[in-house]
Amino acid sequence: MEKIPARAWIENAKNTSEEIMKEEDIPLLEDFDVQGLNEEELRVLRSEIRNRVCKLSAKDKQIRRLRRNRRSAFRVKNKLEVETENQIAQNEYLECLLAQMEQDNRHCEEYVQQLERTGLELKNLLEKAEREYKRDVSH
């Protein structure tokens, strides 16, 4: 395999902010033609390689975090949907219960009115019977 010219790669790396997509895109130190490089150029080369590895690592961590967050968001969304459906069902049940209680209340009110009428009729009958009794006793 042909070696990568180190000086040209260093200059290119300094002048561009290349987006690294995969680990295979990062050349290793042994992939470079380092003959004739001084210590400073060798240090810069190592630093650029390390920076790219760090960027890739940070990008991988970010992708994992985003995937985790997405899964978590889906779990929360699903949980909220279930809770919403349960709340809707509970509200429907409570509305039915309330309607039944209102109907029962109307029947109770009608029954109370009927009892009041019956009580009034009984009171009138009792008063009439008392008057007739007093009249019969006085004669």
Side-chain angles (χ1 to χ4, degrees):
M1 183 174 154
E2 192 174 317
K3 299 258 182 182
I4 301 168
R7 282 193 178 100
W9 190 86
I10 291 170
E11 280 305 312
N12 187 41
K14 286 180 181 178
N15 295 329
T16 62
S17 59
E18 188 176 314
E19 186 67 28
I20 300 163
M21 301 307 281
K22 338 178 235 284
E23 191 174 345
E24 299 85 48
D25 294 341
I26 303 172
L28 301 174
L29 190 57
E30 57 261 17
D31 295 336
F32 288 97
D33 178 12
V34 293
Q35 288 182 348
L37 291 183
N38 61 33
E39 283 299 314
E40 178 61 20
E41 290 171 323
L42 199 53
R43 187 191 63 73
V44 170
L45 179 61
R46 285 187 183 121
S47 174
E48 284 298 327
I49 293 171
R50 192 172 33 257
N51 286 344
R52 289 173 183 249
V53 168
C54 288
K55 282 181 186 177
L56 181 62
S57 175
K59 187 176 181 180
D60 284 346
K61 285 179 185 177
Q62 182 182 20
I63 289 170
R64 283 194 301 275
R65 188 182 76 246
L66 289 172
R67 285 180 179 154
R68 237 184 356 261
N69 289 348
R70 192 173 101 208
R71 285 190 303 270
S72 178
F74 277 122
R75 281 193 300 273
V76 169
K77 177 183 168 261
N78 290 340
K79 182 179 177 186
L80 288 175
E81 285 175 350
V82 167
E83 288 176 2
T84 301
E85 289 170 5
N86 289 343
Q87 191 64 45
I88 289 170
Q90 186 177 14
N91 287 350
E92 289 171 353
Y93 169 75
L94 291 173
E95 286 173 0
C96 289
L97 191 60
L98 178 62
Q100 182 64 46
M101 291 173 73
E102 288 172 345
Q103 184 178 5
D104 291 348
N105 190 36
R106 281 191 299 276
H107 288 143
C108 287
E109 287 174 0
E110 290 170 5
Y111 185 66
V112 166
Q113 289 173 354
Q114 183 182 359
L115 286 175
E116 287 174 347
R117 283 192 301 272
T118 303
L120 188 57
E121 289 172 7
L122 287 174
K123 179 182 169 195
N124 290 340
L125 284 174
L126 180 62
E127 288 174 353
K128 182 179 177 185
E130 286 176 346
R131 282 193 305 273
E132 287 180 9
Y133 175 76
K134 286 181 185 177
R135 190 183 46 152
D136 288 343
V137 169
S138 63
H139 286 301

